[in-house]
Amino acid sequence: MGDLNHKTKLGQPALYRILDANLDRAREGIRTIEEWFRFGLDNSEMAAECKNLRQQLAQWHSNELRMSRDTTTDVGTQLSHPSEENRESLEQVIQVNFCRVEEALRVLEEYGKVYHPNMGAAVKQMRYRVYTLESNLLAYGRHQKLQRANLYLVTSPSERLMSVVEAALQGGLKVVQYRDKDTDDHQRWKNARQLCQLCHRYNALFLVNDRVDIAIAVNADGVHLGQQDLPIAVAKQLLGPQKIVGKSTTNPEEMKLAIAEGADYIGVGPVYATPTKPDKQAAGLEYVRHATRHASVPWFAIGGINMNNFDDVLMAGATRVAVVRSLMQAEQPTLVTQYFLSQFTRVQTLRDRQIVPENTPADFS
Ligand SMILES: Cc1ncc(COP(=O)(O)OP(=O)(O)O)c(N)n1
Ligand SMILES: Cc1nc(C(=O)O)sc1CCOP(=O)(O)O
Ligand SMILES: [Mg+2]
C-alpha cells in the first residue's frame, strides 16, 4: 500500500492533497445545489442548510491543506468522462452534484480519520445531513408536482393501458394512479413498473392504488388508500416520509379524519354515481362545495366526471379532478387531456379576473 506519509513531488503528504481536492469538490457541489434551492425553488431553509455545510467544510480546509495543491502535477485533471460534459436537465444537474458531494464526503470521512481524530466523525455527520437534504428535496419536488396537478388519471385494466397513459401524458397529464383489482400480483408488478418508468419519463407522479408493497417494489411516488385499506401512518412508515399518501373520502367526517391522519391529498367523491365504483352512493356536488370551503390539503373530485358535467364540478369549486373512464375509454386521450386542462385554465382566469377567492364555489353562468 505504501507509506501514508508518502510525499508528493512538492514534498507534501499525498493525504493533504486528497483532503484538499475533496474539500473543494464537496464545497463546489454543495454550492451548485444551494443555487438551485435559492434561485430555483426560493427555499431559504434548504439554501441555509447548504451554506452551513459549506461553512463547516471551510473550517477543515486549513492553509496546510491548501498549500499542498499543485494542479500542474495532478494526473486527475486530465481525466474526464464524456458524460461530465453534458447535462440533460436541471434535475440531472442536481442529482449529479448530490452524487459528487456524497462521494467527496465519503473520501473525506475515510482519509480524514488519519488527518485529525475528529474529522471522520464530523464529516460523517455532514454526509448524513446531505442525505437528508436530498431526501427532503425529493419530497419537496413531489409535493410541488401534486400542488400543481389539476388532472389525475386513475387507470382501469385495458389492453391499451400503456398507450392510453402515454397519450394522456403527452397531453400534459401529471398524475397517474395504477388501479387494478383483478390481475395477479406478478402482472400487477410488471404493469406498475412499466407505468412508473413511463410517468417519470414525462415528469409525472405515479401512485399505486391500495398496494403499499407494489408501490415500494417499483419505487412509485406514493399510494392511494381507501377507508378499508391500511392506515396512513402505517403506509408512511413503510414508504418513508418523502412519499405521497392519498385517501378517499365520501363525507365531511371522513375528510376531517383523513386530513388529521396526515393525508397528502384526498379524493372527494363519488361526485356522480359511476359504474367504475358501483357500490358507492353518489356524494354529489354538495360534498364538492363542502371540500371547496373546508379541505386544507389538495383534493381531487372523482366519480362520474366527464366532459359534459366537468363545468358543473369546476363551478362547485373543484380545482382538481380525477377520472377513470373519461380517459381510459377515450379514443383520443391526448385531446381529452388537453380539453380538461384548458378548462382548468379558463376557470382559473375567470377566478383571477373576478377576484373570486379560491375556496368559494363560483357562478360564472
Ligand atoms: C383519487 C382517488 N380517489 C378515490 C379512490 C377510491 O379509493 P377506494 O375507496 O380505496 O376504492 P378503490 O379505488 O380501491 O376501489 C381512488 N382510487 N383514487
Ligand atoms: C375509483 C373511484 N373512486 C371513487 C370514489 O368516490 O372514491 S369514484 C371512482 C371511480 C371513478 O371512475 P369514473 O371516472 O370512471 O367514474
Ligand atoms: Mg382502495
Side-chain angles (χ1 to χ4, degrees):
M1 191 185 93
D3 175 11
L4 268 175
N5 290 317
H6 163 74
K7 300 269 185 301
T8 64
K9 284 180 199 152
L10 275 182
Q12 298 291 348
L15 175 64
Y16 286 18
R17 295 181 69 192
I18 293 171
L19 294 178
D20 172 58
N22 282 282
L23 280 162
D24 261 350
R25 198 170 290 149
R27 285 171 64 193
E28 285 163 9
I30 293 172
R31 185 70 200 223
T32 308
I33 295 164
E34 183 180 330
E35 298 299 63
W36 176 243
F37 288 153
R38 184 174 161 194
F39 297 110
L41 302 181
D42 296 321
N43 189 313
S44 57
E45 207 179 309
M46 290 204 266
E49 172 67 346
C50 286
K51 190 171 176 186
N52 187 283
L53 282 162
R54 279 192 299 111
Q55 283 167 346
Q56 277 199 22
L57 283 169
Q59 283 167 7
W60 286 104
H61 214 163
S62 61
N63 277 340
E64 68 177 349
L65 297 183
R66 287 174 196 279
M67 300 272 283
S68 67
R69 189 173 317 170
D70 178 16
T71 41
T72 55
T73 64
D74 182 350
V75 292
T77 56
Q78 308 300 322
L79 303 176
S80 155
H81 192 273
S83 65
E84 287 177 30
E85 306 300 323
N86 300 311
R87 298 282 181 257
E88 280 174 11
S89 62
L90 285 172
E91 268 182 14
Q92 200 194 11
V93 170
I94 303 305
Q95 196 186 359
V96 163
N97 276 280
F98 266 114
C99 284
R100 191 171 172 218
V101 171
E102 284 155 12
E103 275 173 16
L105 289 178
R106 175 56 101 172
V107 174
L108 289 170
E109 183 181 331
E110 292 303 322
Y111 285 93
K113 290 173 191 166
V114 185
Y115 177 65
H116 188 283
N118 297 338
M119 190 170 184
V123 174
K124 186 177 182 174
Q125 284 296 322
M126 284 185 240
R127 196 160 54 79
Y128 284 122
R129 280 168 61 191
V130 171
Y131 288 144
T132 305
L133 205 55
E134 191 175 11
S135 149
N136 288 347
L137 176 64
L138 273 176
Y140 183 85
R142 284 199 180 97
H143 284 87
Q144 291 271 95
K145 280 185 203 165
L146 182 67
Q147 283 284 349
R148 288 196 203 116
N150 298 120
L151 185 63
Y152 185 159
L153 166 61
V154 179
T155 67
S156 55
S158 162
E159 298 208 330
R160 309 186 297 143
L161 179 63
M162 296 301 154
S163 63
V164 170
V165 172
E166 179 149 24
L169 291 167
Q170 282 165 350
L173 180 75
K174 288 293 173 206
V175 198
V176 175
Q177 177 194 135
Y178 174 53
R179 178 177 183 269
D180 187 341
K181 301 280 185 184
D182 306 322
T183 314
D184 63 69
D185 272 5
H186 188 78
Q187 190 58 43
R188 274 197 187 115
W189 165 73
K190 274 169 76 176
N191 289 346
R193 195 176 51 159
Q194 211 178 333
L195 282 174
C196 188
Q197 285 166 357
L198 181 62
C199 290
H200 287 175
R201 248 197 290 133
Y202 283 86
N203 204 16
L205 293 172
F206 175 72
L207 291 97
V208 177
N209 183 45
D210 296 342
R211 297 289 296 270
V212 176
D213 54 347
I214 294 177
I216 293 170
V218 303
N219 196 23
D221 296 293
V223 285
H224 183 89
L225 302 172
Q227 296 291 321
Q228 270 77 48
D229 300 319
L230 281 178
I232 292 176
V234 175
K236 289 210 170 203
Q237 209 177 2
L238 294 170
L239 286 162
Q242 72 274 29
K243 297 287 171 94
I244 290 171
V245 180
K247 183 138 182 167
S248 315
T249 71
T250 304
N251 55 55
E253 296 84 76
E254 286 179 1
M255 172 186 291
K256 213 170 160 183
L257 266 176
I259 294 171
E261 256 193 289
D264 295 304
Y265 76 87
I266 53 173
V268 166
V271 182
Y272 303 105
T274 168
T276 317
K277 196 96 183 119
D279 300 334
K280 261 193 181 176
Q281 262 199 339
L285 286 172
E286 204 38 57
Y287 183 43
V288 175
R289 289 189 196 98
H290 177 87
T292 302
R293 293 202 165 91
H294 300 286
S296 55
V297 295
W299 57 277
F300 292 83
I302 184 169
I305 300 171
N306 55 42
M307 286 195 278
N308 298 326
N309 58 28
F310 184 51
D311 208 48
D312 298 336
V313 182
L314 294 185
M315 291 310 144
T319 54
R320 297 179 184 86
V321 159
V323 296
V324 179
R325 286 166 303 150
S326 287
L327 279 172
M328 290 307 297
Q329 293 177 9
E331 272 178 33
Q332 301 200 322
T334 306
L335 291 185
V336 176
T337 302
Q338 287 168 340
Y339 172 79
F340 279 130
L341 294 178
S342 68
Q343 292 309 300
F344 282 117
T345 311
R346 179 182 68 82
V347 172
Q348 193 54 51
T349 310
L350 286 173
R351 282 185 191 281
D352 291 346
R353 280 208 201 122
Q354 302 198 5
I355 321 176
V356 175
E358 199 70 28
N359 61 350
T360 307
D363 180 9
F364 296 124
S365 49

